[in-house]
Amino acid sequence: MCGIVGLFLKDRELEPQLGRMLSEMLVIMTDRGPDSAGMAIYGDAADGKVKITVRSADPETDFAGLEDSLKAVLGDDVSVAPNNTHAVITVDEAAMEAARNLLAENHPTLRIMSVGEAIEIYKEAGLPASVVQRFGLSGMSGTHGVGHTRMATESAVTTMGAHPFSTGADQCLVHNGSLSNHNNLRRELARDGMHFETENDSEVAAAYLTAEMKKGKNLGAALESALSDLDGFFTFVVGTKNGFGVVRDAIACKPAVMAETDRYVAFGSEYRALAGLPGIEEARVWEPEPATVYFWEHQ
């Protein structure tokens, strides 16, 4: 049993409130998963720039001198913005692979949470309220985001095992459920060059969608393929740079509710996560159908 929330804004005037609304939704879902919590926020992308969000178990040591270390190789157009145990490294898009290689070689204690033009992922073990507070998530703005509070069933309670999982640029996934064929899928995806950080079945689902989108599919088409290729019980909420998608398996035993107004689309594992949203009393509220893909995209 885990708790999922998601919010896709249509009205740009709501963007400064994204972090606050999503944080409140996540905290309400605390009793569905007290082990760890996380959130992916999609903000405005800067032309030609990429953000690499990293996590450290010893940020005081690891983040000291990190910017100077990267600048010594990549040049002065690098910035590092620490935030508690995480930091957002901003580099030129052309230097992204070089930056990742430098981190792996010279800063191996740092773990990459996400890479992309718009995405930032923050996650830690602990209750949602604690995670929200330590990263200041309520004050963040953006166009859309997803959150997750976890009750561990398939793997240990660790930061890397927390959701969201990101396996591709500006892509992330949160999951309630369990997959029965994740070991076979992991081997197939690894043979095709996909790298895995954990033994979590949800990371396999994220990697599967990344692989499908690398074939040229958009998020909606990749989610359609997942209905045929992934076995088990699942509710997925997925983000891309411009998109937001939801899909449940054919049995749909995991709870889910959605709401849509002319200002936003919202997802919650339970309606109480949506009850505080502005204009919710006028929203179209429904339970997403089994084996049905719901997909929205900013133009």
Side-chain angles (χ1 to χ4, degrees), residues 4 67 78 101 113 115-116 126 163 169 173 185 195 214 218 258 268 283 285 297:
I4 299 175
E67 184 171 295
V78 175
N101 291 337
M113 301 289 100
V115 176
H163 301 220
L173 173 143
L185 278 172
H195 174 72
K214 284 183 177 180
N218 68 8
M258 300 196 70
V285 179
E297 192 168 33

Side-chain angles (χ1 to χ4, degrees), residues 25 55 73 113 163:
M25 294 166 69
R55 188 262 183 183
V73 179
M113 301 289 100
H163 301 220

Side-chain angles (χ1 to χ4, degrees), residues 37-168:
M39 191 179 295
I41 296 283
Y42 288 86
D44 287 333
D47 288 342
K49 299 292 184 181
V50 171
K51 295 184 286 187
I52 304 172
T53 305
V54 297
R55 188 262 183 183
S56 169
D58 183 10
E60 186 174 346
T61 299
D62 286 339
F63 296 156
L66 177 60
E67 184 171 295
D68 289 340
S69 173
L70 294 173
K71 283 183 175 180
V73 179
L74 302 176
D76 288 337
D77 203 8
V78 175
S79 67
V80 177
N83 183 351
N84 201 270
T85 57
H86 289 41
V88 178
I89 303 167
T90 303
V91 300
D92 287 336
E93 185 176 5
M96 187 266 289
E97 286 301 327
R100 294 191 65 153
N101 291 337
L102 277 173
L103 291 171
E105 294 170 7
N106 298 341
H107 304 275
T109 55
L110 296 179
R111 306 297 292 273
I112 293 177
M113 301 289 100
S114 62
V115 176
E117 296 177 47
I119 191 173
E120 297 176 16
I121 287 181
Y122 301 90
K123 58 184 184 179
E124 279 291 358
L127 296 172
S130 173
V131 174
V132 164
Q133 182 177 19
R134 72 191 301 178
F135 295 118
L137 298 177
S138 295
M140 294 186 180
S141 63
T143 57
H144 55 299
V146 300
H148 186 276
T149 183
R150 181 177 181 229
M151 182 176 288
T153 58
E154 295 292 331
S155 58
V157 178
T158 64
T159 300
M160 295 307 294
H163 301 220
F165 285 98
S166 182
T167 54

Side-chain angles (χ1 to χ4, degrees), residues 196-216:
F196 291 92
E197 295 279 355
T198 74
E199 296 299 316
N200 195 294
D201 61 330
S202 304
E203 187 181 14
V204 175
Y208 169 85
L209 294 175
T210 297
E212 292 300 299
M213 285 187 272
K214 284 183 177 180
K215 297 175 183 177

